Amino acid sequence: MKRFHFGLAALCLTATAFAAEPFDDKFRQLDELLPSANQYRTASGAPGHAYWQQRADYTIRATLDEANRAISGSGQVTYHNNSPDTLHYLWLQLDQNIYKPDSDARMTMTAPSREAWGRAKSDEEGMKYEGLRNILAGRDFDGGFKIGSVKGSGGAPLQYTVNRTMMRIDLQQPLKPGEKFSFSIDWTYKINEQKVLGGRSGYEYFAEDKNALFEIAQWFPRMAAYYDVYGWQHKQFLGSGEFTLEFGDYDVQITVPADHIVASTGELQNPGEVLTAAQRDRLAKARTSKTPVVIVTQAEAEQAEKNQAKGIKTWHFKAKNVRDFAWASSRKFIWDAQGYKKDGSNLMAMSYYPKEGNPLWEKYSTAAIIHTIEQYNKYSLDYPYPTAISVNGPVGGMEYPMISFNGPRPVKDKKTGEITYTKRAKYGLIGVVIHEVGHNYFPMIVNSDERQWTWMDEGLNTFVQSLAQEAWEDNYPAGRGDPRFIVDYMRSKNQVPIMTNSESLLQFGNNAYAKPAAALNILRETVLGRELFDYAFREYARRWKFKRPTPADFFRTMEDASGTDLDWFWRGWFYTTDAVDVSIDGISEYGVSTRNPETEKAWKKAQHDAEPVSIIDQRNKGMVRKVDEQPALKDFYNEHDDYTVTNADRNKYAEQAKELEQWEKDLLAQGKHLYLVDFSNLGGLVTPLILQIELKSGKKYIERIPAEVWRYSPKKITKVIVTDEPLLSLVHDPYWETADIDQSNNAWPRKVTPSRLELFKSRQPENMMKDFNTPLKKQDAEGDKEGAKKE
């Protein structure tokens, strides 16, 4: 008994000492992360049979006060409660309140680091004039909404509370499911100078001709979203997390100076009142033109700049089933347009830009709009709206329904007046137009919650943008989309998972734009293939057109429509900061023994002969040996070595061959080469293996192995590679399609990494005496005199 207990104790101790490490299952399902499916959102990723969505219709009258840089407006909102819930209050967004001096956005601003603030090593790191101006001007600018009155449909005042960038209206009677509620609201606010205070809207002043250009957005109190997943989306607006809003119809009248041209969401209702007969005729021709038609010419715009007419005009626009409304206004606008009609799309593509935008804008803006519609229709859904607009102004790139604000311009030489544009400006304009017009699809139609998840609109849109740019021209100089572009970011420690709230993102552009776009390209090209991916992506757009999807709806739809379990992909790429880093650690070659002594002993002899000759034998070469002096000493063993085939060997082989079936003999005769290849997953993110195999004959081919090869051992695996002839080299990810962060360990044999050594001259010590005696340049002296006079 004691021996039994001792043995059991020893067994238990042994089991404890050698217990397996906890298994990190990279392929475990996302059930613990995704919300449970329900009647509103199904497990397949489609809207459920009880899916609901709120609605808000607006009637707005607004006036632009150009001289005082201000907006005043009054609006009536009709809110439709399509939810199963009874509501006791409504929440609205007051996004202009971000410009209040004490806004959360300004009060929570921090310096990137003490080193970047005071000890910048380069212009890229250092504080700019514009940055300091923004900090100081923001403390003095009297921004934010001034709410005049809030009244119910009967005219009675409604109680409301402003909580920074959100506003709660208390209802006098509960709003039951299926009911609607109308209220009116008046407001004013000062328009920010965009190049000083930044932001997604604002005005730009042109000192040369003393005119302004206004891009107006987030300009009225907008209904916050209420939906099944979060209830009210009333997270404060801090600047990064954009907007999620309800669809509705808009009837908007905008009063501006009489010589202004207005670009807007929706369709113009009174062209006879605001456009000349010539302009209306040009618009009619543009609808069927194959190239852009100029509606307001540069000469006409320049004349308006000089005259600055008095009086006002009111432009009337209507828009159906949009989630927001924006506009732009200036007497500086040149305007061109071109119609597009195909399949389910019938629209006018239009561009508005000042003379400072030419010749770049007249050549590329509207052409890029048309291209965007063509490509996005191909990959998602038919553009449903009647207009698609690109406006050049101070905002570098921002989207609203049917209208976008885009920044790149040519440059004018101050001395010669010559106008040129850089390669970066050209492709920056084409790219930003594709991107911002593309946002009509994501999130203006596929209405994701931007305040919560930036990647759902920016990442998906950047991905489709990359496809559209590839269709623009060969070797388009793109900066996002291709997996190779995010390798440096994936190496970095300063990052958070893609599935992080919009306001908490680090490296915003890489996290919300570049990484999701690269991940989707990997999913399309490397994991699913184009046919499966494209079908599933279009199904996602179709299912959630004019609805509000969540990340779970996207993940589930892509799996459902492609017929592929992608939980490992979403988990690794979207919920972690793991990187792809696959290392080829070693290769062993195995040949299948034929058992034929003629073959096998010849193989063994070849292996022996391939061994290095020892240093002793090398130096003894030519030595006169005893048997050379007395040949009679030689016998059988001097004529035969260990690799001589004997008759006994042959008889044994003949006996063994009798026991083999024909298929077994055929198998031995194939002469295949077997290689055991050891792979390590150093980065933590499992990935398909893309292996380029090169054989002794020079033949190269690719083997693609699904990511599931890692399912039992996510850190190390050994894979069998079978070839018809000896393997010369093996490379993982030869096309850089997986965003592998270390290519140096991807090849066998290892490849030499080329680089360059930069040589520098020895630095001379500072010579203060020499610097002190340096003659003062004449222009500097004159500048000092001018400065002294001003003081």
Side-chain angles (χ1 to χ4, degrees), residues 442-729:
F442 311 97
M444 299 302 157
I445 297 169
V446 181
N447 182 27
S448 58
D449 185 345
E450 298 177 273
R451 189 64 56 89
Q452 187 72 19
W453 307 113
T454 297
W455 72 266
M456 282 201 75
D457 69 294
E458 297 295 358
L460 268 62
N461 185 45
T462 302
F463 162 68
V464 186
Q465 175 193 353
S466 72
L467 302 182
Q469 288 174 168
E470 289 163 10
W472 180 271
E473 68 180 53
D474 191 23
N475 296 319
Y476 185 99
R480 288 171 176 163
D482 193 311
R484 70 186 68 194
F485 297 148
I486 62 160
V487 168
D488 287 343
Y489 170 67
M490 298 295 282
R491 289 193 191 110
S492 71
K493 302 297 183 184
N494 186 33
Q495 58 172 299
V496 294
I498 291 174
M499 285 294 291
T500 299
N501 176 259
S502 299
E503 295 294 354
S504 300
L505 299 180
L506 300 177
Q507 299 199 56
F508 194 87
N510 281 320
N511 180 288
Y513 295 67
K515 184 178 177 180
L520 292 177
N521 265 305
I522 291 170
L523 187 60
R524 183 176 190 248
E525 303 288 359
T526 305
V527 178
L528 290 178
R530 292 186 174 187
E531 183 178 358
L532 284 177
F533 179 94
D534 290 352
Y535 180 87
F537 195 78
R538 282 193 297 268
E539 178 65 10
Y540 168 71
R542 184 194 67 79
R543 284 179 175 182
W544 292 98
K545 178 180 179 180
F546 296 118
K547 296 182 176 66
R548 182 177 288 110
T550 65
D553 300 316
F554 177 67
F555 298 153
R556 286 167 168 162
T557 293
M558 292 301 293
E559 293 195 13
D560 180 66
S562 71
T564 309
D565 181 359
L566 298 171
D567 282 18
W568 65 270
F569 185 85
W570 309 128
R571 181 182 295 281
W573 277 97
F574 286 77
Y575 286 91
T576 76
T577 56
D578 292 345
V580 174
D581 183 6
V582 173
S583 172
I584 301 177
D585 296 333
I587 299 181
S588 300
E589 180 181 9
Y590 291 83
V592 177
S593 173
T594 64
R595 300 187 182 182
N596 186 336
E598 306 285 355
T599 302
E600 297 308 313
K601 285 197 171 182
W603 181 83
K604 290 180 180 179
K605 179 174 174 52
Q607 301 305 304
H608 177 269
D609 292 346
E611 293 176 359
V613 178
S614 76
I615 190 66
I616 296 172
D617 288 345
Q618 291 180 46
R619 292 173 178 173
N620 286 343
K621 189 174 182 180
M623 178 190 296
V624 178
R625 317 291 179 125
K626 187 69 175 179
V627 294
D628 296 325
E629 296 176 336
Q630 300 180 26
L633 294 175
K634 294 182 178 181
D635 66 356
F636 172 85
Y637 291 105
N638 292 98
E639 297 178 10
H640 298 278
D641 57 21
D642 295 340
Y643 307 107
T644 297
V645 179
T646 67
N647 288 335
D649 293 334
R650 296 183 178 97
N651 292 336
K652 182 178 180 181
Y653 172 64
E655 288 297 321
Q656 292 175 338
K658 290 179 182 179
E659 300 175 0
L660 297 178
E661 297 183 28
Q662 187 58 46
W663 70 269
E664 294 173 316
K665 294 178 182 179
D666 295 340
L667 188 65
L668 294 177
Q670 286 185 23
K672 297 292 185 182
H673 297 261
L674 307 179
Y675 296 88
L676 290 185
V677 185
D678 297 323
F679 295 94
S680 290
N681 175 11
L682 303 179
L685 184 53
V686 293
T687 181
L689 299 178
I690 300 94
L691 304 179
Q692 178 181 273
I693 298 169
E694 183 178 6
L695 303 180
K696 187 176 181 179
S697 66
K699 177 184 177 183
K700 288 184 179 181
Y701 62 94
I702 299 290
E703 280 196 7
R704 293 182 175 270
I705 301 167
E708 282 76 8
V709 72
W710 301 96
R711 64 194 183 282
Y712 299 126
S713 179
K715 294 182 179 179
K716 287 182 177 292
I717 57 172
T718 299
K719 186 77 178 71
V720 179
I721 304 294
V722 181
T723 64
D724 293 327
E725 53 180 296
L727 185 147
L728 190 64
S729 71

Side-chain angles (χ1 to χ4, degrees), residues 222-453:
R222 302 179 294 175
M223 290 303 309
Y226 181 82
Y227 65 113
D228 58 293
V229 176
Y230 291 113
W232 285 108
Q233 175 50 285
H234 47 35
K235 291 183 183 296
Q236 293 294 328
F237 180 39
L238 300 179
S240 294
E242 292 183 359
F243 320 109
T244 187
L245 301 155
E246 305 292 7
F247 287 105
D249 294 342
Y250 284 74
D251 184 322
V252 179
Q253 294 185 30
I254 305 166
T255 300
V256 298
D259 53 0
H260 272 217
I261 296 294
V262 177
S264 174
T265 298
E267 286 186 289
L268 181 62
Q269 302 298 300
N270 60 337
E273 298 175 22
V274 295
L275 302 181
T276 66
Q279 291 166 348
R280 297 196 299 272
D281 182 59
R282 295 166 187 167
L283 264 178
K285 291 178 180 177
R287 184 162 293 280
T288 56
S289 175
K290 300 300 181 183
T291 56
V293 174
V294 179
I295 313 303
V296 175
T297 68
Q298 181 162 334
E300 291 168 342
E302 290 178 351
Q303 190 64 36
E305 287 177 350
K306 296 174 184 176
N307 293 340
Q308 296 194 8
K310 305 297 182 183
I312 58 174
K313 281 184 181 178
T314 298
W315 295 61
H316 186 191
F317 296 91
K318 287 186 178 181
K320 289 186 175 296
N321 207 27
V322 293
R323 61 167 235 169
D324 200 0
F325 194 102
W327 50 283
S329 184
S330 180
R331 64 177 54 84
K332 291 178 64 66
F333 277 146
I334 303 162
W335 174 13
D336 70 51
Q338 179 183 340
Y340 178 86
K341 184 176 182 180
K342 186 178 179 181
D343 300 327
S345 297
N346 185 6
L347 63 131
M348 288 286 282
M350 301 191 288
S351 296
Y352 298 75
Y353 43 94
K355 64 178 185 297
E356 288 79 6
N358 274 338
L360 193 60
W361 272 72
E362 64 187 3
K363 186 176 183 67
Y364 291 114
S365 179
T366 298
I369 297 173
I370 297 290
H371 180 72
T372 304
I373 302 299
E374 291 172 340
Q375 295 301 311
Y376 276 68
N377 282 10
K378 176 180 173 183
Y379 292 110
S380 57
L381 52 89
D382 287 346
Y383 186 85
Y385 292 131
T387 61
I389 296 171
S390 170
V391 179
N392 178 229
V395 179
M398 188 59 200
E399 75 283 354
Y400 301 94
M402 305 187 218
I403 188 170
S404 60
F405 303 154
N406 304 307
R409 285 179 187 154
V411 292
K412 183 176 181 180
D413 190 283
K414 293 182 180 179
K415 293 181 179 180
T416 66
E418 180 186 14
I419 297 175
T420 58
Y421 54 83
T422 63
K423 179 180 179 181
R424 181 175 181 178
K426 171 189 172 179
Y427 290 103
L429 173 59
I430 296 167
V432 76
V433 171
I434 292 173
H435 183 88
E436 304 305 343
V437 173
H439 268 309
N440 278 281
Y441 298 79
F442 311 97
M444 299 302 157
I445 297 169
V446 181
N447 182 27
S448 58
D449 185 345
E450 298 177 273
R451 189 64 56 89
Q452 187 72 19
W453 307 113

